[in-house]
Amino acid sequence: MTEAKPIIQMHGITKRFGGVTALRDVDLSAYAGEVLAIVGDNGAGKSTLIKVLTGVYQPTQGHITFEGQPLVMASHADAIQNGIDAVYQNLALADHLTPAENLFLGSELTTSVLGVPVLANAKMKAEATRVLHDRLGVTLKSMDAATESLSGGQRQAVAIARAVRHDDLRVLVMDEPTAALGPQETARTLKLIQVLKEQGLAVIVISHALDDVFEISDRIHVMRRGECAGVVTTAQTTSEEVLGLITGAHKAA
């Protein structure tokens, strides 16, 4: 880890939906230059937790600090503005568009021709090519093909590139990044996560794949029944201990 203090912290986060308590008094910390994995069974509260972290939900109780300062977000757009973004499992890509069009979807670059604004397609293509290559080490065979023609790992790279295109990104949440990928594509995606870590981002990975978690993460935050069951250092734990925290068979030290 490259910082002695967490870049982002969640303090006593509780989230209720009517009479249902999805999260109860959860603390979380993430550091720049680390990969923090969040694991737990379905319904453990992982998705709700990251939606609070990325501004999609507002906490019923508790608060978030970013670089030690209080952070209040009313929407995911607020999170992005504050340097926090997410790549969700469905990737949210428009399959019929090119990689560059996906990177700039909703924030297209324009130029003026005889006083009329038109899309700056060549500039967006060049910038998308640069971000993929310089930030992720990825070169696509064609930047003009529809995104639906790309492999699973390449699609994941496009989704990540869309987030890291913003130079002020500090925290990236990735939801099940290796789900439905084969071994080779999984290895490429884990390498992308390592690259982002080395660039100083705090990368938070939600995953059911413990093998991937142990390969890529620095710490593991275990959720169980809406609460934090424990946080362990990856190099100092075992999959058996983590499974025990997930199921409740073990308690955190």
Side-chain angles (χ1 to χ4, degrees), residues 80-247:
I80 294 174
Q81 190 171 9
N82 282 282
I84 305 164
D85 206 351
V87 176
Y88 292 105
Q89 186 174 351
N90 64 8
L91 302 183
L93 297 174
D95 284 342
H96 64 288
L97 298 181
T98 67
E101 290 167 339
N102 268 295
L103 255 69
F104 288 91
L105 188 61
S107 57
E108 289 82 0
L109 303 181
T110 60
T111 187
S112 180
V113 177
L114 300 176
V116 179
V118 296
L119 291 175
N121 289 313
K123 186 175 182 179
M124 288 189 287
K125 180 179 176 180
E127 178 64 6
T129 302
R130 183 194 69 79
V131 171
L132 281 162
H133 181 269
D134 292 356
R135 293 298 303 272
L136 302 179
V138 172
T139 301
L140 300 180
K141 188 173 182 180
S142 172
M143 291 294 290
D144 297 314
T147 303
E148 64 185 354
S149 68
L150 302 179
S151 69
Q154 290 171 332
R155 287 166 53 82
Q156 184 74 252
V158 171
I160 296 170
R162 182 172 56 193
V164 303
R165 180 176 69 84
H166 304 284
D167 291 334
D168 57 356
L169 182 71
R170 304 293 304 283
V171 179
L172 181 64
V173 177
M174 302 184 70
D175 184 18
E176 299 289 353
T178 60
L181 296 182
Q184 288 186 332
E185 296 286 81
T186 293
R188 291 189 186 102
T189 297
L190 295 180
K191 183 178 179 180
L192 292 182
I193 294 171
Q194 180 68 28
V195 166
L196 297 175
K197 168 188 169 177
E198 291 170 355
Q199 292 175 4
L201 292 182
V203 185
I204 301 174
V205 175
I206 295 84
S207 181
H208 282 96
L210 284 186
D211 286 347
D212 296 346
V213 165
F214 271 84
E215 180 173 344
I216 201 64
S217 71
D218 297 288
R219 293 185 301 130
I220 304 171
H221 178 113
V222 182
M223 292 294 297
R224 174 172 164 77
R225 296 181 177 176
E227 300 180 353
C228 176
V231 181
V232 294
T233 300
T234 307
Q236 298 173 2
T237 191
T238 63
S239 57
E240 289 77 17
E241 181 182 357
V242 172
L243 285 169
L245 290 171
I246 291 172
T247 61

Side-chain angles (χ1 to χ4, degrees), residues 38-60:
I38 301 179
V39 301
D41 284 335
N42 291 333
K46 304 185 303 297
S47 294
T48 303
L49 187 65
I50 64 167
K51 286 179 179 177
V52 172
L53 183 68
T54 56
V56 177
Y57 293 154
Q58 287 68 55
T60 306

